[in-house]
């Protein structure tokens, strides 16, 4: 399967614990995005990497959240001291620049569903 | 319009019937609009990317239109089938995607 993969698919944790999620993008894609979806809402942008550089972070991303893409390939999203409000679906997407293409076609993984008890 | 909005939030369709729903978005500095289909436990699947005013795209029984001047897009499903049951998301492309809350379609056999 050459699509975007995410691990784990589900995570249940207790409030105050740290969690880390992994995303493996499509191999030739240089851009990687993290989104979060809560019940009844659409996915909301969290952060964006071009290669290994983190170029933008949403104000939704509190200091407890950190994302890395150390070698410009896979990415990790860590949440420290989880709170019940962090319960959500965390989606990863990847894309690539195409010459002459004005839009940004993003391919999504299946997400990691986090439940904080 | 400040945000991407979709309506209705959910709808139920009898198998074989046709249906449509709406995505509204800010029309200024428009680049593209994406439609995704998201089935439970799967990845959101790209349906269409639309860039030009008046664009019409079609994929099987599903089609979409785009009006960038007034900031709306319609998605149509013709002859709904149970496998069309999913949440349909639209997203405005500002290199990051700004999503609506989705329209959840349930097709009754």
């Amino acid at each position: 399967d050459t699509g975007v993969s995410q691990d784990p698919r589900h995570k249940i944790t207790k409030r105050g614990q740290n969690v880390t999620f992994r995303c493996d993008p499509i191999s030739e894609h240089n851009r990687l995005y993290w989104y979060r979806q809560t019940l009844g809402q659409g996915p909301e942008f969290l952060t964006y990497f071009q290669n290994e550089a983190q170029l933008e972070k949403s104000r939704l991303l509190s200091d407890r959240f950190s994302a890395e893409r150390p070698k410009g390939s896979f990415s990790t999203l860590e949440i420290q001291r989880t709170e019940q409000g962090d319960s959500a679906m965390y989606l990863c997407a990847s894309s690539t620049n195409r010459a002459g293409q004005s839009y940004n076609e993003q391919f999504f993984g299946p997400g990691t569903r986090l439940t904080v008890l | 319009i400040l945000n991407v909005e979709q309506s209705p939030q959910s709808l139920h369709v009898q198998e074989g019937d046709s249906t449509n729903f709406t995505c509204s978005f800010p029309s200024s500095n428009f680049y593209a609009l994406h439609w995704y289909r998201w089935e439970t436990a799967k990845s959101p699947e790209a349906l269409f990317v639309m860039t030009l005013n008046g664009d019409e795209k079609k994929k099987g029984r599903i089609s979409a239109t785009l009006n960038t001047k007034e900031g709306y897009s319609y998605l149509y499903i013709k002859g709904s089938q149970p496998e069309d049951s999913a949440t349909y998301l639209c997203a405005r492309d500002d290199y990051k995607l700004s999503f609506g809350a989705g329209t959840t379609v349930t097709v009754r056999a």
Side-chain angles (χ1 to χ4, degrees), chain A residues 4 9 31 33 35 37 40-45 48 56 89 91 102-110, chain B residues 9 31-32 34 36 38 41-46 49 51 89 93-102:
Chain A
V4 179
R9 294 290 302 274
R31 296 176 179 170
Y33 305 79
Y35 293 85
Q37 192 224 11
Q41 304 294 318
E44 295 176 296
F45 170 79
Y48 151 58
E56 186 172 341
M89 174 73 83
L91 288 165
S102 62
Y103 55 86
N104 181 19
E105 187 172 16
Q106 297 185 21
F107 296 82
F108 282 83
Chain B
Q9 183 176 358
Y31 290 105
H34 300 257
Y36 286 87
W38 194 4
K42 294 186 178 180
S43 304
E45 173 197 359
V49 182
T51 57
L89 294 165
D93 189 335
D94 294 304
Y95 78 86
K96 59 190 177 185
L97 299 180
S98 299
F99 283 90

Side-chain angles (χ1 to χ4, degrees), chain A residues 1-116:
Chain A
D1 189 344
T2 57
V4 179
S5 61
Q6 292 187 244
D7 183 70
R9 294 290 302 274
H10 302 272
K11 179 71 177 179
I12 299 173
T13 191
K14 292 183 180 179
R15 189 176 51 176
Q17 297 295 305
N18 299 344
V19 294
T20 300
F21 310 141
R22 177 179 169 124
C23 170
D24 286 89
I26 293 171
S27 58
E28 65 268 24
H29 285 187
N30 60 340
R31 296 176 179 170
L32 187 146
Y33 305 79
W34 285 99
Y35 293 85
R36 178 173 68 186
Q37 192 224 11
T38 54
L39 197 62
Q41 304 294 318
E44 295 176 296
F45 170 79
L46 292 179
T47 190
Y48 151 58
F49 290 85
Q50 179 144 322
N51 301 312
E52 64 275 10
Q54 188 173 19
L55 296 187
E56 186 172 341
K57 292 193 293 185
S58 165
R59 54 189 162 80
L60 294 175
L61 213 63
S62 78
D63 291 344
R64 297 183 296 105
F65 287 69
S66 61
E68 293 184 342
R69 194 183 184 197
K71 296 181 181 178
S73 56
F74 73 91
S75 175
T76 57
L77 178 68
E78 182 183 14
I79 309 173
Q80 295 182 326
R81 304 180 303 282
T82 52
E83 301 173 357
Q84 287 184 325
D86 297 332
S87 296
M89 174 73 83
Y90 290 83
L91 288 165
C92 175
S94 68
S95 70
T96 188
N97 313 62
R98 292 193 190 280
Q101 184 172 288
S102 62
Y103 55 86
N104 181 19
E105 187 172 16
Q106 297 185 21
F107 296 82
F108 282 83
T112 294
R113 181 167 293 285
L114 173 66
T115 302
V116 181

Side-chain angles (χ1 to χ4, degrees), chain B residues 58-63 76-81 83-84:
Chain B
K58 187 175 180 183
K59 186 176 184 179
R61 294 178 291 96
I62 301 177
S63 59
Y76 301 88
I77 305 176
K78 184 178 177 182
S80 303
Q81 298 297 310
E83 60 264 32
D84 296 328

Side-chain angles (χ1 to χ4, degrees), chain B residues 8-106:
Chain B
Q9 183 176 358
S10 65
L11 60 89
H12 295 259
V13 189
Q14 197 65 35
E15 183 177 358
D17 288 351
S18 298
T19 189
N20 65 85
F21 37 93
T22 309
C23 171
S24 303
F25 54 88
S27 56
S28 61
N29 299 318
F30 176 84
Y31 290 105
L33 188 83
H34 300 257
W35 280 100
Y36 286 87
R37 174 169 60 199
W38 194 4
E39 296 179 65
T40 304
K42 294 186 178 180
S43 304
E45 173 197 359
L47 286 174
F48 305 115
V49 182
M50 307 180 79
T51 57
L52 298 175
N53 186 45
D55 252 358
E56 291 186 27
K57 295 280 180 84
K58 187 175 180 183
K59 186 176 184 179
R61 294 178 291 96
I62 301 177
S63 59
T65 60
L66 180 68
N67 183 322
T68 61
K69 294 182 179 179
E70 296 181 37
Y72 65 83
S73 176
Y74 291 120
L75 193 111
Y76 301 88
I77 305 176
K78 184 178 177 182
S80 303
Q81 298 297 310
E83 60 264 32
D84 296 328
S85 297
T87 295
Y88 291 83
L89 294 165
C90 69
R92 195 187 119 114
D93 189 335
D94 294 304
Y95 78 86
K96 59 190 177 185
L97 299 180
S98 299
F99 283 90
T103 294
T104 298
V105 175
T106 304

